[in-house]
Amino acid sequence: MTPQDTPEHSTPLQIIPLGGLGEIGLNMTVFEYDGVILVVDSGLMFPEDYMLGVDIVIPDYEYLRENKERVAGIVLTHCHEDHIGALPFLLKDVPAPVYATPFTIALVSHKLEEKDLLSRVDLHEIKPRESFSIGPFHIEFVRASHSVVDGVSLAIRTPAGLIVHTGDFKITHGQLDDEATDVSRLAQLGEEGVLALLSDSTNAEKEGYTLSESEIGATLEKAVRDSSGRVIVALFASNVPRLAQIVNIAAKTGKKIVFNGRSIEVSMRIAQELGYINVPPGMQIDVSEVKDYEDNEVLLVTTGSQGEPMSALARVAAGAHKQIKIKDGDTVILSSKFIPGNEKAITGIINNLYRRGAEVIYEKISAIHVSGHAFREELKLMMHLTRPRYFMPVHGEYRHLLHHARLAEKVGIPKNRILLAQNGNVVNFLDEVGWIGESVDTGRTFVDGKGIGDVGRKVLKDRRALSEHGMVVATMVLDFDTGVVIYGPELLSRGFVFEDEKGHLLQDAQCVIMDAVEQLDLSGPDRIPLIEAATQQALRRFFNYVIRRRPVIVPLVLEV
């Protein structure tokens, strides 16, 4: 079926990814039926190398802003930043009730309180296997194992059929705790009949199964026991299962434990309040008390495993932390994956830690981290459990989506029922038939300080030019009546050439400007923009010819 075959009176279910397809992060998906919009997740991504000065990146949700009266609710699968980081920005423009599990709600509440939004947002706490309705959508939370507690997949019942959205998940054999993926419920949904499966593609290239947390726990415990000095463990603040492991290891090895870093302190407080972690009385100490104990009695837990420049670990590595100074015998464990794009910053911290005398353990030399995303055998198992009529890979770069689509074909899903969509594509379902239709505008919005969306490609291009070639400011003052240059041109450069080398170069550049200006007709009212354009053009040619550099040229022309 195609859109032309659709009866006028029929209403298709539409699924519109606004982020998360063809990229890591920015996860946001719209479900729309009969004028009602349901949003699943609202994530951010951290800036790539070319995004100079940008703090974070969020999806362009102009489609939701334009249709905010129709947005009936926002559902969150779990509390990682790539799924909830853009929520405060979205809620400012698109007020809507939010539905999530207890731990996710607690972290979201903290975020919204920081932005003075908490009192304006209706938060609903939903537990796994509980159901609720948003307009025509009847949603059930299904427990999903991930590198954070309270992760869920979504069973979304719509008038067009049942949709299963996995969120981020893994299926680890031998995991019997309360955080294991609810495979029995997924199998029941498969028996019921799944119209479409939207499945996490992050690790679609990796063969086999993910390691179990118990294997990682044994490696971590050995590293702690083998250390002769202090142990510092850096990880994601939201990785509560790993935090619980480390607390247990500290208790077994008789160490005092310190939590340092604002985000990790918030996660620990929430995890203890909700009963996910129990720290034995007297075991936790403040960072200021570390000096009162022998080195081999202390285990510090902190953030900064991704090389974040202002994190506690970055300050420790740089020797700038007030209370923690690295010394011989210390062991630093980076218990997290190197996120693509962060490798340079992470290796910089590792090198600095080694220089200061620490032993560093990280994923490339030891099994101290397990992915929270399913490997290929687990992805196949998800398809076998749910037995979907249609399959749509989500969450990943294009290569991940493509490998996942090919895997689905190998499992037996017909190629014409595998929907390889891109951000902005409108995926339609009607009468058990699915197709990719037209697209809506989407993209990335840069957040820089308090500015949201005011940094675009031109600004980034200028920043890169400034970083690579510097800047030259050309100042001139004209006589208001005659247009004659009465001062200048004076040239000021920054980041362009060394001070003792630029004298003759800038003097020659002054002559180049005067030659260009003398050829202009300055009798008209538009002489200032004429001079600015001629100055830019002349200097660009001159600098490129003389020293093969292209600084940013800023002409400043005044009239008196």
Side-chain angles (χ1 to χ4, degrees):
M1 179 179 289
T2 66
Q4 290 79 7
D5 301 321
T6 305
E8 291 184 5
H9 64 275
S10 299
T11 302
L13 167 69
Q14 295 184 319
I15 302 176
I16 311 171
L18 296 184
L21 271 63
E23 59 202 359
I24 299 295
L26 299 176
N27 298 295
M28 179 184 284
T29 307
V30 169
F31 290 77
E32 187 169 344
Y33 186 85
D34 198 20
V36 179
I37 290 176
L38 162 70
V39 181
V40 173
D41 289 333
S42 179
L44 56 74
M45 70 177 288
F46 294 104
E48 298 175 6
D49 288 344
Y50 75 91
M51 301 174 186
L52 301 174
V54 173
D55 296 322
I56 59 171
V57 185
I58 61 176
D60 179 353
Y61 49 79
E62 182 62 26
Y63 180 77
L64 295 178
R65 192 183 290 111
E66 291 174 350
N67 297 280
K68 61 182 179 181
E69 296 82 6
R70 301 197 288 117
V71 178
I74 302 169
V75 176
L76 306 174
T77 58
H78 64 285
C79 68
H80 277 159
E81 288 294 303
D82 59 336
H83 291 259
I84 69 168
L87 187 62
F89 301 96
L90 177 64
L91 289 172
K92 282 184 179 179
D93 296 326
V94 185
V98 176
Y99 302 79
T101 51
F103 189 82
T104 303
I105 285 290
L107 271 186
V108 165
S109 298
H110 180 76
K111 277 182 170 291
L112 297 180
E113 190 173 19
E114 288 183 328
K115 302 288 186 182
D116 294 324
L117 289 171
L118 185 56
S119 61
R120 297 162 46 187
V121 180
D122 190 10
L123 299 176
H124 298 267
E125 187 177 290
I126 310 293
K127 295 179 180 178
R129 291 229 178 182
E130 291 183 350
S131 302
F132 57 99
S133 294
I134 299 176
F137 304 103
H138 188 70
I139 303 149
E140 178 186 345
F141 279 6
V142 180
R143 175 75 70 190
S145 179
H146 187 45
S147 56
V148 66
V149 294
D150 268 3
V152 290
S153 299
L154 308 176
I156 306 173
R157 292 174 175 82
T158 77
L162 171 61
I163 309 295
V164 173
H165 186 302
T166 68
D168 288 354
F169 81 99
K170 61 179 178 177
I171 305 174
T172 305
H173 287 277
Q175 184 180 355
L176 298 176
D177 57 37
D178 293 337
E179 292 298 315
T181 295
D182 193 345
V183 293
S184 63
R185 185 64 186 129
L186 290 168
Q188 290 170 356
L189 294 172
E191 291 287 341
E192 182 180 328
V194 174
L195 174 62
L197 171 66
L198 281 61
S199 185
D200 173 21
S201 306
T202 306
N203 278 338
E205 297 173 305
K206 297 186 177 180
E207 296 289 348
Y209 296 88
T210 54
L211 293 174
S212 70
E213 285 289 346
S214 60
E215 293 177 73
I216 300 302
T219 305
L220 283 171
E221 183 175 340
K222 184 179 186 303
V224 172
R225 289 188 183 277
D226 290 347
S227 176
S228 61
R230 298 174 301 177
V231 177
I232 301 174
V233 182
L235 41 60
F236 289 118
S238 58
N239 195 341
V240 173
R242 189 68 45 76
L243 284 169
Q245 277 186 327
I246 293 166
V247 168
N248 292 336
I249 290 169
K252 290 169 68 175
T253 56
K255 294 185 183 293
K256 299 293 183 181
I257 194 165
V258 178
F259 299 101
N260 185 244
R262 186 163 169 269
S263 58
I264 214 158
E265 290 168 7
V266 170
S267 286
M268 278 300 302
R269 175 179 58 78
I270 294 171
Q272 290 182 86
E273 289 174 356
L274 296 177
Y276 290 112
I277 296 178
N278 178 35
V279 181
M283 193 176 85
Q284 183 175 344
I285 62 173
D286 186 77
V287 67
S288 62
E289 300 176 80
V290 170
K291 62 182 183 300
D292 300 330
Y293 295 87
E294 296 294 329
D295 288 349
N296 61 2
E297 295 180 316
V298 177
L299 192 159
L300 297 102
V301 185
T302 187
T303 54
S305 60
Q306 296 305 305
E308 301 93 323
M310 296 307 294
S311 66
L313 185 63
R315 286 181 281 123
V316 168
H321 197 288
K322 291 181 179 179
Q323 292 105 343
I324 306 171
K325 304 294 181 185
I326 292 293
K327 52 187 174 181
D328 290 342
D330 287 346
T331 298
V332 179
I333 302 172
L334 304 183
S335 186
S336 64
K337 177 185 178 182
F338 287 21
I339 293 178
N342 295 344
E343 293 94 344
K344 189 173 181 180
I346 299 170
T347 54
I349 283 180
I350 291 172
N351 286 327
N352 284 337
L353 291 168
Y354 273 125
R355 287 189 184 101
R356 296 184 181 279
E359 183 63 33
V360 188
I361 301 173
Y362 48 100
E363 67 164 345
K364 292 185 179 179
I365 63 173
S366 181
I368 40 74
H369 175 68
V370 58
S371 177
H373 301 271
F375 284 20
R376 289 172 67 87
E377 291 304 314
E378 296 156 82
L379 296 175
K380 287 162 63 177
L381 179 56
M382 176 62 76
M383 297 178 208
H384 286 304
L385 289 168
T386 55
R387 293 180 287 170
R389 179 174 176 82
Y390 282 87
F391 177 75
M392 179 176 164
V394 295
H395 300 177
E397 297 176 3
Y398 183 78
R399 60 194 172 95
H400 302 136
L401 305 180
L402 183 61
H403 279 289
H404 204 175
R406 290 173 176 172
L407 185 65
E409 196 173 352
K410 289 180 180 178
V411 166
I413 299 175
K415 190 172 184 179
N416 64 344
R417 292 184 186 172
I418 298 172
L419 303 172
L420 191 60
Q422 303 177 49
N423 288 335
N425 286 166
V426 179
V427 180
N428 301 273
F429 291 98
L430 179 65
D431 296 333
E432 295 194 339
V433 176
W435 71 93
I436 297 176
E438 297 180 355
S439 297
V440 303
D441 291 335
T442 186
R444 297 174 175 182
T445 300
F446 301 132
V447 179
D448 186 355
K450 291 186 177 180
I452 303 171
D454 57 348
V455 174
R457 292 185 180 276
K458 187 177 186 307
V459 172
L460 291 178
K461 183 178 178 182
D462 286 345
R463 288 180 179 179
R464 179 165 290 279
L466 284 167
S467 71
E468 293 177 347
H469 301 289
M471 174 180 70
V472 175
V473 179
T475 305
M476 280 181 285
V477 179
L478 311 181
D479 182 276
F480 181 81
D481 295 321
T482 65
V484 174
V485 177
I486 59 176
Y487 173 81
E490 180 181 330
L491 297 180
L492 174 69
S493 75
R494 289 290 183 271
F496 178 44
V497 289
F498 288 115
E499 188 70 30
D500 57 354
E501 296 178 0
K502 70 184 181 184
H504 70 90
L505 181 67
L506 296 189
Q507 288 174 7
D508 293 344
Q510 289 175 322
C511 297
V512 169
I513 295 172
M514 290 306 296
D515 289 343
V517 171
E518 286 173 0
Q519 299 177 36
L520 301 175
D521 179 6
L522 302 181
S523 60
D526 59 345
R527 58 192 175 201
I528 288 181
L530 278 175
I531 293 174
E532 290 176 341
T535 299
Q536 282 186 321
Q537 186 178 40
L539 288 183
R540 281 175 185 156
R541 288 177 178 173
F542 174 69
F543 291 137
N544 186 49
Y545 176 76
V546 174
I547 57 174
R548 289 289 185 268
R549 294 184 190 172
R550 298 183 179 183
V552 174
I553 309 296
V554 182
L556 182 59
V557 183
L558 306 174
E559 289 183 318
V560 294

